[in-house]
Amino acid sequence: MSAPVYIDIRSQRGNFQLAVKTFIPDGIVGIFGPSGSGKSSLLKIMAGIEHPDNGQIIVRGREFYNRSCKIKVPARKRKMGLVFQEGRLFPHMSIRKNLLFGFEDGAAIGLNEVIDLLEIRHLLNKKPHQCSGGEQQRVAIGRMLLSSPEVLMLDEPFSSLDQRLRRSIIPYLIKIHQKYHMPIWVVSHDICDLLMLTNQLMIMNNGQVVGNGSYHELLFDSLATSVLQQEDEINAVRLPIYHIEQVNGMKAYHYQKQTSSNYLLLDVDQELEIGDQLIVSISPRNISLSLHQVDDISTRNQLAGEITSIKERGKKVFCQVDIGFSVLVEITRSACDKMGLKEGMNIYCLFKSSSVKILSVGK
Amino acid sequence: MSAPVYIDIRSQRGNFQLAVKTFIPDGIVGIFGPSGSGKSSLLKIMAGIEHPDNGQIIVRGREFYNRSCKIKVPARKRKMGLVFQEGRLFPHMSIRKNLLFGFEDGAAIGLNEVIDLLEIRHLLNKKPHQCSGGEQQRVAIGRMLLSSPEVLMLDEPFSSLDQRLRRSIIPYLIKIHQKYHMPIWVVSHDICDLLMLTNQLMIMNNGQVVGNGSYHELLFDSLATSVLQQEDEINAVRLPIYHIEQVNGMKAYHYQKQTSSNYLLLDVDQELEIGDQLIVSISPRNISLSLHQVDDISTRNQLAGEITSIKERGKKVFCQVDIGFSVLVEITRSACDKMGLKEGMNIYCLFKSSSVKILSVGK
Amino acid sequence: GDSPKKGANEITVFAAASFTDVITEIAQRFEQEQKVKVRLNLAASGTLARQIESGAQADVYISANKSWMDYLEEKNYSKESGVLARNELVLIIPKSEVQEDLKPEVLLMYPKNRIAIGDPGYVPAGKYAMQVLKAFDVESEEHLLLCRDVRSALMMVELGEVDCGIVYKTDALQSTKVDIIYTFPEEMHDPVAYYQVLVSSGALAKEFYDYLYSSESKQVLTNYSFKTD
Amino acid sequence: MSELLTIGLTEVEWSALAVSLKVSLLCAFLSLPFAVLAGWLLARKEFRGKAVVEAFLHVPMVMPPVTTGYLLLLMFGTNGLLGSWLETLGIRIAFSFDAAVLASIIVSFPLAVRAVKQAVEMVDKRLEDAAEILGASRWRIFFAVTVPLAFPGILSGFLLSFTRSLGEFGATITFAGNIFGETRTIPLALFSAMQTPGKESEAFRLMLLSIVISFIAMLASELVNRRYKKELY
Amino acid sequence: MSELLTIGLTEVEWSALAVSLKVSLLCAFLSLPFAVLAGWLLARKEFRGKAVVEAFLHVPMVMPPVTTGYLLLLMFGTNGLLGSWLETLGIRIAFSFDAAVLASIIVSFPLAVRAVKQAVEMVDKRLEDAAEILGASRWRIFFAVTVPLAFPGILSGFLLSFTRSLGEFGATITFAGNIFGETRTIPLALFSAMQTPGKESEAFRLMLLSIVISFIAMLASELVNRRYKKELY
Ligand SMILES: Nc1ncnc2c1ncn2[C@@H]1O[C@H](COP(=O)(O)OP(=O)(O)OP(=O)(O)O)[C@@H](O)[C@H]1O
Ligand SMILES: Nc1ncnc2c1ncn2[C@@H]1O[C@H](COP(=O)(O)OP(=O)(O)OP(=O)(O)O)[C@@H](O)[C@H]1O
Ligand SMILES: [Mg+2]
Ligand SMILES: [Mg+2]
């Protein structure tokens, strides 16, 4: 199925109207939008604990809601696993019981796996009110993972987690997705986190979906722009590693099948092997363009590429450069003019190895 | 008073021990630490809704708690305004009533000012449960601001807020601090947000304060390092603007009294005037060092400076460079060796104008 | 639940609550003599009558109230009935050290406080008391304290809530906290009596009914100061 | 049975209705503040002998009302401990309208307290903490946070007071007597009717009357409760 | 007064104590599931005529117990509507131990339901939603989330059932009779004692007995409640 989720709903809550008509593609989808734009409302309706006034919801071929046919599948039969923004742990149960609430023997994801991933082993016998905000958030994620949902919906799952935890949970979610082909929808205010998870975004504003597609498309989509331009842009790509060698005392990771001089010089904490996947993210603001290679500079990555497009958004100029994968580079108008950049030009992308954020997903 | 807050407490909660003995300096202080390290617990004890097992708390000359003298000032008399991680709005009151709960006529901060800043005017007649997560968070902040606390404590105030809102609330907090000299303590997982607010950090880990001081000091402090090295480092400085001119179609902001060739070429959305203050933040990872100026590159800011120190932390090398203010630059060991960098050397700091995050505080 | 399985060796007697002590003693004797079991149900006469009306399996009913006996007769629940014992109506005052000579006329006609009597609406003793009061020309109800049953009237006097009360002699004699100052002559009121009704047609029931008239029963009744004739 | 269907109330019924309503309303309103206070104390405060106080408060619940009435009489009667003292002040409570109200209050109080206590216990303490941090005094926290959030329980306590008092018989007849127009409430009139042969229809009418009142009370409270919930959710 | 201080209980007292305890415990345990169900229904479900059902449930509360007992008698008596039908099945309820239990249940049920309803209403619905999303069936949600969170109310309902039943007099004496060893509970024995002049001390002892039981019950429930709260907070 090419469009496994079809939503066409309307729901009036006081003076707020949610009016969503969209397809959600399979895979991991990031839901992004300003506070109060209706993200949580949409997820609650998808989960089936709130109902729209009107419309239709079809998920993976099952009709969950249809006003005209009076179909209203109850939440417990939908298997739409929603992790609430506010946690909603059961206060009278220990963390262990909370985790096991939706767990059935033989479930694909194991208890110990989740406990270790989320670093909550020391909490198992505590009650939710004895846990810190971030601990509760982790338990809520764990509880949902263990309940074997068919679709995983996370509402701001990382809001009280520190970087280290995010960096361990995000690759895990990607792995789960790859292993079980479970659609994952993530609401987050941190576009950087989102883009590490996925390139597919759904942008909401004012109760409507104003954009739906890949990040690069949306960046220049007039409707989505109003939302996205408040944010820092990010390049995030997932790269397979074909070859690793030592260059000038640093590791060079080749991400193209054919050996070329375009490789990434990076400091990766983990020991990577050929065949592993890397998620690298780098801000378009941190890439410089140069007409030729530059010496005597601490910038180690100087990758040759070709400008595929030059687009303007507001005062900013974005060059899309193909260096084996497509990266967005933000430059100033004056720089663009001064260097005489044009589409089709050969150019070097300069960025420091340390300005690249790295996550490894394993195989 | 040079050390207006003295804390020396011990508190055992199950298997978690909070043991804090520290001074908190006046001003804005960021509290940082991994999930479950005791940040919220500390703030609750300071606010007076939980009590330690033992110890002493003195805030601005008033003794709030002293086990041996049996002093236990009740929360309502402390005026320690704590905004809870979980909001805690009164569910039976409208947002307006929530906001006005602690408000007294003649309070310094006005209702309309707060409503406009937090963009919550459309919520005034709603009940908390009718508001989204981020909306509730904003109301909780507003409610506290309006209650005229003497110390403002914010526990993860921005966790569900988008960038745009953060960028308007942070300067406001700084302004409030400057105007009323109210100490502000902010817990956040986003070190970037914290550093925009302040340079003063308190690092917690495992129930203890493992570092207390300015960010630059802490970065190389062995105890604090274990916490901070999980995070991306950030340079954040507050600069006064002495002069503005037009250079190559961009605005150049002079931040030094004496005119020099060191100025910042930036794209600031707001119209700034001389005398305004800028908060700029840039990651050490996004600054390149070069032995000489580089042409034909989109990198517009090439500021001359002098290396004041070179420190290693793990595999990373940090150069502190004085370019009128002190910036930290992260480079690789191989680059350092190759370029033969030494303390006292003259060098150029290269960074793109777009990789600088900017907040303006006004006068 | 040990629900009542009515064996041949068991009878159920419904008796007015004010008759508790007497009937308990008589029943015990009967039990010993006949080697049978007597179940006693003790409540207000009206309550008992209503219970019988709604199908309670009573064998013998002892009422303090003639009208309830009549009621049951009317409804054909009575196989046989008669007067079991007679009682007298007395005027009582709280016990006091100073034994001044109190005249009933004075007490009844010029009460300082209230006079406790049973509620004439449904308490027989109250009805008799009203007849007595009428004989004394006390018309106003203002000074009357109408009690739920004659025992409550006695209690009010015991507690000193009232100056005096009109109750049964048997009750008054048993109380150590009141003094009888006057026994009303029988002409002043309808006969004061307990009535017995044979409700069921069982042989044992009839036997108990007759036993109540036996000399043993009469002895017990006399011990409690009832008049039997 | 035709009397059953007579629409107008007889004088006796009117009087019983009036007395009953007066007693029950007074009882409910007078108990309310004390019940709220006691319920709150029991739910929120720790003090020595709290369990004993609580058990003591519930004694009127476990004793047959007649006994309660008797004990009240022992206390407030002319020779009673409190009664004799009040007598010197010229106050006599027993066998009066006031006694009927007092009896009702005593008998229904445990119910009201329990309802309030249970509700206050379920009020999120953290909201009270939040109010305290915002500088609210104890009173303000109590009236602006605790009471509104415990409102369903308080309403329930009020209603229990009212209905329990409507049905109160034993303590009233013992302590307040059965005085027409003063203490003869519906249950007392009903009892009289039931204890008199042939007054079945009068009894039934009185029964219906009390059921009708309780229906009205229940519906009214349900309405208030719904409105409250709508406000809240 | 020396009898008052005799420590051992007389046969009469033992019997009354045993009957009372049996009736009250059975009443409390038998009511519990129905009270929980009814309280939950009233708190969580919307259906036509709900307010009427609720008002109806509360009728036994507002009627004098004697009347309730009388109505029970009319229904379950041998000549009653249900009674005559049960008779054909060989079941006879009135004037038996079962009748005492039934009377207690009817009289105390409104209290138990109300306590449960109030507690369920205060349970955070969002937690039930969360459970549903985790795939829990209605039953599971009810037993694993709603009931434990409403536990204080359920305990309170149980206790109210128990104590109200301990003090129950009017309905019992009317419907179950006052039969020694079978339906003569403490309140009935107390009544009998009070009906007999000179038995004051027996009456007092019985009164104390019921107070002692209620104390024990209250303390036990308080203990359970505390343990629960400790578990939770
Ligand atoms: N029951 C309700 N009645 C009225 N308005 C409501 C109700 N529920 C939600 N809203 C409004 O709907 C809007 C969307 O809410 P929602 O929780 O979906 O936002 P969100 O996108 O999740 O925001 P956030 O990022 O702050 O969590 C908000 O403006 C909120 O005020
Ligand atoms: N009542 C309690 N009993 C036992 N442990 C407790 C209790 N309260 C808190 N803790 C523990 O204390 C530790 C610190 O909690 P605290 O809420 O202060 O963390 P935090 O630093 O605010 O974390 P976060 O960033 O996740 O909010 C946690 O590990 C928590 O499990
Ligand atoms: Mg939301
Ligand atoms: Mg916290």
Side-chain angles (χ1 to χ4, degrees), chain C residues 73-128:
Chain C
E73 241 156 41
E74 208 176 287
K75 303 236 159 174
N76 281 326
Y77 281 99
S78 158
K79 302 272 175 308
E80 205 179 327
S81 62
V83 174
L84 170 59
R86 291 187 183 284
N87 209 342
E88 282 168 291
L89 217 54
V90 295
L91 182 63
I92 54 168
I93 58 166
K95 202 170 203 93
S96 52
E97 311 287 291
V98 212
Q99 282 293 345
E100 33 177 331
D101 207 16
L102 285 170
K103 294 234 165 24
E105 309 82 53
V106 181
L107 270 178
L108 294 176
M109 292 164 71
Y110 310 103
K112 276 181 279 169
N113 205 332
R114 296 186 202 245
I115 304 169
I117 63 171
D119 192 322
Y122 53 94
V123 182
K127 222 172 356 182
Y128 309 140

Side-chain angles (χ1 to χ4, degrees), chain B residues 75-76 91-92 101 127 129, chain D residues 132 138 140 144 231-233:
Chain B
R76 71 181 150 279
H92 57 297
F101 188 87
K127 288 277 163 71
H129 73 98
Chain D
E132 198 182 344
R138 274 167 219 238
R140 179 110 193 276
E231 269 285 281
L232 194 53
Y233 298 111

Side-chain angles (χ1 to χ4, degrees), chain E residues 99-219:
Chain E
V101 177
L102 184 59
S104 281
I105 290 181
I106 297 286
V107 168
S108 64
F109 199 61
L111 294 176
V113 172
R114 197 145 249 280
V116 175
K117 180 193 166 206
Q118 192 188 318
V120 172
E121 265 173 355
M122 288 185 95
V123 169
D124 193 344
K125 253 196 196 131
R126 297 176 309 164
L127 293 174
E128 296 175 358
D129 286 344
E132 198 182 344
I133 287 186
L134 289 163
S137 66
R138 272 165 219 238
W139 282 109
R140 179 109 194 276
I141 296 173
F142 181 69
F143 283 111
V145 180
T146 317
V147 165
L149 288 174
F151 177 79
I154 293 171
L155 179 69
S156 181
F158 181 85
L159 192 78
L160 283 170
S161 246
F162 180 78
T163 50
R164 176 70 186 80
S165 157
L166 263 187
E168 164 49 32
F169 167 73
T172 308
I173 201 170
T174 310
F175 179 47
N178 178 7
I179 304 168
F180 177 77
E182 212 170 307
T183 66
R184 189 174 299 164
T185 56
I186 297 177
L188 268 60
L190 186 49
F191 166 76
S192 294
M194 281 176 73
Q195 281 299 313
T196 322
K199 286 213 180 166
E200 284 80 8
S201 65
E202 192 183 318
F204 259 106
R205 285 169 58 93
L206 284 163
M207 221 159 74
L208 287 181
L209 195 59
S210 65
I211 294 181
V212 166
I213 303 176
S214 81
F215 258 66
I216 295 174
M218 291 297 311
L219 293 182

Side-chain angles (χ1 to χ4, degrees), chain A residues 132-134, chain B residues 39-40 85 155-156:
Chain A
S132 77
Chain B
K39 307 178 294 295
S40 300
Q85 199 165 1
D155 198 348
E156 309 256 8

Side-chain angles (χ1 to χ4, degrees), chain A residues 177-215:
Chain A
H177 171 67
Q178 290 176 340
K179 201 159 158 193
Y180 305 112
H181 302 286
M182 178 199 291
I184 302 181
W185 307 340
V186 184
V187 168
S188 174
H189 282 115
D190 195 325
I191 194 128
C192 197
D193 286 345
L194 278 188
L195 289 174
M196 294 215 188
L197 270 164
T198 180
N199 199 20
Q200 283 297 319
L201 294 187
M202 185 165 119
I203 314 286
M204 293 193 69
N205 199 7
N206 244 319
Q208 290 181 311
V209 172
V210 294
N212 200 337
S214 84
Y215 178 64

Side-chain angles (χ1 to χ4, degrees), chain B residues 220-277:
Chain B
F220 300 99
D221 181 300
S222 59
L223 273 171
T225 288
S226 64
V227 175
L228 280 182
Q229 76 181 0
Q230 311 288 351
E231 302 297 319
D232 299 338
E233 297 81 9
I234 299 287
N235 287 300
V237 278
R238 207 179 302 165
L239 301 172
I241 300 173
Y242 289 106
H243 182 57
I244 305 177
E245 62 179 323
Q246 205 76 16
V247 176
N248 285 336
M250 283 184 82
K251 286 235 170 98
Y253 298 92
H254 288 260
Y255 54 86
Q256 285 175 306
K257 256 205 181 110
Q258 306 81 352
T259 323
S260 93
S261 60
N262 270 6
Y263 45 73
L264 293 171
L265 283 171
L266 297 174
D267 250 337
V268 185
D269 290 335
Q270 283 163 281
E271 204 56 56
L272 293 184
E273 288 170 27
I274 290 171
D276 278 352
Q277 289 202 319

Side-chain angles (χ1 to χ4, degrees), chain A residues 97-159:
Chain A
K97 283 204 177 151
N98 263 287
L99 286 171
L100 292 176
F101 188 87
F103 184 71
E104 273 164 29
D105 269 337
I109 301 173
L111 181 62
N112 281 314
E113 181 183 343
V114 167
I115 289 176
D116 289 337
L117 165 78
L118 298 167
E119 302 177 14
I120 49 181
R121 190 170 293 282
H122 62 296
L123 303 173
L124 288 180
N125 294 320
K126 283 191 177 181
K127 287 277 162 71
H129 74 99
Q130 296 173 322
C131 296
S132 77
E135 287 166 350
Q136 292 183 22
Q137 202 167 32
R138 282 178 274 160
V139 174
I141 297 173
R143 183 176 69 172
M144 190 47 71
L145 285 173
L146 288 171
S147 78
S148 321
E150 284 178 6
V151 176
L152 185 60
M153 304 189 282
L154 304 162
D155 198 349
E156 309 255 9
F158 313 124
S159 65

